[in-house]
């Protein structure tokens, strides 16, 4: 039995077209396969379910005590600078025992940027 039950929430914007979520679902599946002891979920800012507060509440009900949110956004735009801190504050207030960490935007990571650059160069042929 683990002392702490951990979860990773991939936080994406959301869109009206269901197909938009497909690459995020693949990312969730690939990440979950590498982290057998961690619950890996997707959550959305808007237009899709579950929203972040609902996803966290469901994890807390499952006994999760430690959640890391990874924004799967290319940059730290207004949503991450304004909306996400407010959501995180609300979640912390609703679940006082929860350890909630928020990572930087995935697209800001140098390794992710290098992989995207490699892809762009390959696209040129």
């Amino acid at each position: 039995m683990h002392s702490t039950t951990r979860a990773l929430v991939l936080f994406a914007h959301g869109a009206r077209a269901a197909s938009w979520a497909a690459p995020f679902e693949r990312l969730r599946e690939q990440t979950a396969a590498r982290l057998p002891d961690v619950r890996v979920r997707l959550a959305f800012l808007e237009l899709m379910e579950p929203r972040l507060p609902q996803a966290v509440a469901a994890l807390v009900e499952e006994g999760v005590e430690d959640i890391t949110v990874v924004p799967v956004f290319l940059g730290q735009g207004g949503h991450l600078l304004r909306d996400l801190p407010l959501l995180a504050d609300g979640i912390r207030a609703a679940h006082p025992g929860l350890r909630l960490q928020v990572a930087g935007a995935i697209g800001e990571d140098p390794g992710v940027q290098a992989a995207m650059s490699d892809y762009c160069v390959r696209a040129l042929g």
Side-chain angles (χ1 to χ4, degrees):
M1 182 75 187
H2 296 97
S3 57
T4 308
T5 311
R6 297 172 67 200
L8 184 65
V9 177
L10 307 181
F11 178 62
H13 187 279
R16 285 181 180 83
S19 58
W20 176 89
F24 297 94
E25 189 57 48
R26 287 195 298 274
L27 178 64
R28 190 205 65 76
E29 288 167 7
Q30 289 174 21
T31 305
R34 296 173 62 182
L35 296 168
D37 296 332
V38 177
R39 290 155 212 243
V40 182
R41 302 281 194 272
L42 266 179
F44 303 95
L45 177 66
E46 57 191 19
L47 303 171
M48 291 183 147
E49 300 295 332
R51 303 291 170 87
L52 186 60
Q54 287 71 33
V56 169
L59 287 164
V60 169
E61 275 195 22
E62 293 174 27
V64 172
E65 300 163 347
D66 187 328
I67 296 176
T68 298
V69 176
V70 175
V72 282
F73 286 67
L74 279 183
Q76 301 274 47
H79 286 310
L80 297 190
L81 296 172
R82 286 190 310 271
D83 303 337
L84 185 52
L86 290 172
L87 284 169
D89 288 347
I91 288 166
R92 288 185 182 106
H95 308 283
L98 179 69
R99 183 162 181 256
L100 182 74
Q101 302 170 88
V102 179
I106 199 168
E108 301 278 354
D109 178 79
V112 173
Q113 289 187 344
M116 290 189 295
S117 174
D118 290 347
Y119 176 83
C120 293
V121 170
R122 284 196 312 273
L124 198 57

